[in-house]
């Protein structure tokens, strides 16, 4: 024994012998029943939050466009009153779609993804931990922008045009642009969506919960995106040459 100290025996046999044991204790596994918790700021949680935001925003926004298109189509039955019935039908349809979308998002926010304890989406970004809110905002921008990008392409593919009204002419111009160069249109929209998502997420990170900076960030990030500017300029040049 080190230093000449001999282990002391217990004459009563009630206590363990002191000394002679290993200095390294083996793990008992007493806490093995507790699962390892993944940090909320992990990459997986950030990506998951983006997906949740996109899902909820798409579910909330898509019915608005569907209702608007259906209402406008019904409004074309107004004949000579079409300049009034088309925008009126679009407004009524959009309102109905808005209510349906809100309800759809609420139900998804209360429903678990099969096989997990995570919800399909969140009701709003205020429900998220602060460190995940910028990613939720970015996801919402992506999901809410998809209908804007896809509806003109879909209407162009079926040759749908609205009556010549102020609203109808503007929508028809967007449809025509998508129909002339669908690839360029899709690329420009994708770039705009990505820029707006990044701008909104950055604004949320710098000014949490502030609607003004978020809207400004989305607008600046989406409109002044370099890829969008290049594709839009190229599309305008092609159209000018064809004339």
């Amino acid at each position: 024994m080190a230093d000449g100290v001999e282990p002391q025996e217990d004459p009563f046999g009630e206590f363990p012998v002191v000394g002679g044991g290993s200095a390294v204790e083996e793990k008992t596994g007493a806490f093995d029943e507790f699962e390892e918790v993944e940090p909320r700021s992990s990459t997986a949680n950030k990506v998951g939050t983006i997906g949740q935001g996109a899902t909820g925003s798409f579910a909330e926004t898509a019915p608005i466009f569907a209702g608007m298109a259906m209402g406008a189509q019904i409004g074309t039955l107004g004949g000579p009153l079409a300049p009034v019935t088309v925008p009126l039908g679009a407004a009524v349809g959009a309102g109905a779609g808005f209510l349906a979308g809100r309800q759809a998002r609420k139900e998804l926010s209360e429903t678990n993804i099969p096989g997990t304890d995570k919800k399909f989406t969140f009701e709003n970004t205020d429900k998220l931990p602060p460190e995940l809110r910028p990613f939720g905002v970015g996801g919402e921008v992506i999901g809410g922008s998809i209908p804007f990008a896809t509806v003109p392409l879909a209407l162009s593919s079926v040759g749908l045009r609205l009556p010549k009204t102020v609203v109808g002419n503007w929508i028809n111009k967007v449809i025509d642009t998508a129909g002339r160069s669908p690839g360029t249109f899709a690329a420009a929209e994708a770039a705009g969506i990505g820029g707006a998502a990044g701008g909104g997420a950055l604004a949320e990170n710098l000014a949490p919960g502030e609607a003004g900076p978020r809207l400004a960030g989305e607008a600046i990030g989406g409109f002044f995106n370099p890829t969008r500017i290049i594709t839009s300029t190229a599309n305008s040049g092609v159209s000018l040459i064809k004339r």
Side-chain angles (χ1 to χ4, degrees):
M1 195 69 182
D3 300 327
V5 179
E6 297 294 332
Q8 302 296 314
E9 294 185 2
D10 175 24
F12 301 99
E14 297 178 359
F15 303 99
V17 176
V18 178
S22 172
V24 179
E25 296 292 337
E26 295 183 358
K27 293 183 178 180
T28 63
F31 299 98
D32 287 349
E33 69 272 18
F34 297 101
E35 296 182 2
E36 185 177 351
V37 178
E38 185 178 29
R40 290 189 302 191
S41 59
S42 68
T43 300
N45 276 335
K46 292 174 181 177
V47 173
T49 302
I50 293 173
Q52 287 179 306
T55 299
S57 187
F58 180 81
E60 190 171 6
T61 307
I64 297 176
F65 284 88
M68 184 184 300
M70 184 178 297
Q73 190 65 23
I74 294 174
T76 60
L77 302 177
L81 296 178
V84 175
T85 57
V86 168
L88 179 61
V92 173
F98 171 78
L99 296 177
R102 289 290 296 273
Q103 183 61 31
R105 178 164 188 167
K106 184 176 186 300
E107 292 182 5
L108 286 173
S109 69
E110 298 171 351
T111 305
N112 284 353
I113 299 173
T116 73
D117 60 350
K118 295 183 180 297
K119 307 297 183 183
F120 277 101
T121 187
F122 44 83
E123 196 165 352
N124 57 66
T125 53
D126 292 340
K127 305 292 185 181
L128 295 173
E131 66 270 20
L132 292 179
R133 287 175 189 167
F135 300 95
V137 168
E140 285 187 330
V141 174
I142 293 172
S145 300
I146 289 175
F148 281 98
T150 56
V151 167
L153 292 169
L155 295 180
S156 174
S157 66
V158 298
L160 179 65
R161 293 294 183 276
L162 297 181
K164 293 183 178 181
T165 62
V166 174
V167 176
N169 289 339
W170 181 80
I171 294 177
N172 288 338
K173 186 178 294 185
V174 176
I175 295 173
D176 291 338
T177 301
R180 281 196 302 268
S181 303
T184 303
F185 181 86
E189 290 301 308
I193 290 172
L202 178 61
E204 177 63 25
N205 188 49
L206 297 176
E210 296 292 333
R214 174 178 170 178
L215 291 175
E218 293 175 10
I220 294 172
F223 186 77
F224 293 102
N225 182 280
T227 305
R228 183 187 180 98
I229 293 173
I230 292 172
T231 52
S232 298
T233 302
N235 190 40
S236 299
V238 171
S239 300
L240 184 61
I241 293 173
K242 288 182 178 180
R243 292 178 185 176

